[in-house]
Amino acid sequence: MQLTHRLSGALLGLVVAAGATTATTATAPAAHAAPPVAHVAPVQAAPAHAADMPAVLAPAAHVIDATTGRVHFSKEADLRRPVASLTKMMTAYVVLQRAEPTDKVEVTADDVRYASAGGAAVAHLRAGDTLTVENLLYALMLPSGADAAHALARAYGPGVEEFVAEMNATARRLGMDDTVYVNADGMPYGGGGHSTARDQVRLAQAVLENPTLEKVTSARYHMVPATSEHGSYSWRNTNRLLGTPGALGVKTGFTRAAGYTLAFAADRGESRLVGVLLGESDSSRRFQTAGALLDWAAAAVQQ
């Protein structure tokens, strides 16, 4: 939320102490460009409820009320950074533009080999198993399976390169002008791509508007009984916010380049709060910070 007057010295000191450095506007992305060097953000006005704002140590963050459009918190929201497995939100979103949840995809040896060769998180899919798109989305979003990402991108590009091109085209359509994808899983191949906290919040909103994806991202566990087409599977969500009031997911991520990332959301009262943290150095702290931001923003809605 931006006021038209400049902060007073006292309020500015309060905002800096709370870690609430606000966003800047980045220049348009070049294809496969690496994130630029961090820059100094211009000072913007703090929310009216800044006095009890949680400390946010992550380098970039953005939290909004998706119901009203109100920005509750913004810190370097337009700074381009790698986002790791938050990339899989776009993979899931694009798949459901092209497929039905009941469609089926056969897992190939290439899907399994691709994921295991890069050291990515996997859903332990088995070559030769045929799974529904919905079950592959659970494999993609809960354990963050790069094998599921490869299988879906290969099937619905058709071909991974074509699928990634559609990811970038979809980003433009969603207004994510500071986002470039180079693969379907967020691993640092080919430079790893980049996005911003603001763009990823916009994507998380779009993901949660799809009933299938809202159901998937909100699931703490998912089990797939064995059938004649596939073996049994059991996946646990890596998002430790699930189980807290109103939590909806959305996605976790980590690479050395990106640090720990988190897209999070919760329905609180009449509001849907959506946020993103990028570049956190501590895995547990990202969940603690997100929970504190959700509580703080929800309290502000009641004011």
Side-chain angles (χ1 to χ4, degrees):
M1 175 180 301
Q2 181 171 349
L3 303 178
T4 57
H5 59 278
R6 186 176 298 273
L7 289 169
S8 68
L11 182 55
L12 177 56
L14 176 62
V15 173
V16 172
T21 307
T22 49
T24 64
T25 301
T27 55
H32 309 309
V37 176
H39 52 277
V40 177
V43 175
Q44 294 179 350
H49 52 301
D52 54 353
M53 180 185 296
V56 176
L57 300 183
H62 195 59
V63 180
I64 71 163
D65 184 335
T67 307
T68 64
R70 179 182 183 183
V71 176
H72 285 280
F73 184 92
S74 197
K75 175 182 178 181
E76 292 287 14
D78 297 309
L79 179 64
R80 297 179 193 167
R81 298 184 56 87
V83 298
S85 286
L86 301 196
T87 297
K88 296 184 177 90
M89 292 194 294
M90 180 61 84
T91 302
Y93 185 79
V94 170
V95 165
L96 288 186
Q97 307 302 302
R98 299 184 164 202
E100 295 296 328
T102 54
D103 291 348
K104 295 181 179 181
V105 175
E106 181 177 352
V107 179
T108 68
D110 282 345
D111 301 328
V112 175
R113 188 163 43 244
Y114 168 85
S116 61
V122 296
H124 300 289
L125 301 180
R126 292 178 287 267
D129 278 4
T130 297
L131 294 160
T132 64
V133 164
E134 182 170 342
N135 279 329
L136 284 172
L137 290 172
Y138 280 106
L140 176 75
M141 300 297 280
L142 273 62
S144 203
D147 41 5
H150 194 272
L152 289 165
R154 172 185 53 77
Y156 291 104
V160 175
E161 185 175 340
E162 291 79 2
F163 188 87
V164 173
E166 182 57 27
M167 291 170 69
N168 285 304
T170 301
R172 301 291 86 75
R173 288 194 292 271
L174 291 174
M176 299 168 60
D177 295 330
D178 287 311
T179 297
V180 170
Y181 294 108
V182 299
N183 55 46
D185 49 69
M187 290 297 286
Y189 313 137
H194 62 258
S195 188
T196 67
R198 191 186 308 275
D199 275 7
Q200 290 299 296
V201 165
R202 185 174 287 116
L203 174 59
Q205 286 180 260
V207 165
L208 291 172
E209 288 170 1
N210 183 290
T212 297
L213 292 180
E214 181 182 335
K215 179 179 68 172
V216 168
T217 67
S218 302
R220 299 176 72 180
Y221 309 96
H222 185 69
M223 297 185 64
V224 182
T227 72
S228 60
E229 293 185 300
H230 56 74
S232 64
Y233 292 94
S234 179
W235 299 303
R236 178 191 297 267
N237 203 317
T238 56
N239 189 342
R240 284 156 43 188
L241 280 181
L242 291 173
T244 61
L248 300 169
V250 181
K251 189 71 190 73
T252 63
F254 172 77
T255 65
R256 289 182 181 179
Y260 293 99
T261 61
L262 179 65
F264 57 96
D267 285 336
R268 299 288 186 89
E270 299 299 316
S271 294
R272 171 160 291 186
L273 303 172
V274 182
V276 164
L277 297 172
L278 299 180
E280 175 58 76
S281 60
D282 183 275
S283 178
S284 295
R285 189 167 60 207
R286 62 179 160 169
F287 299 110
Q288 295 163 1
T289 300
L293 285 168
L294 287 171
D295 290 342
W296 174 71
V301 170
Q302 304 304 317
Q303 294 178 0

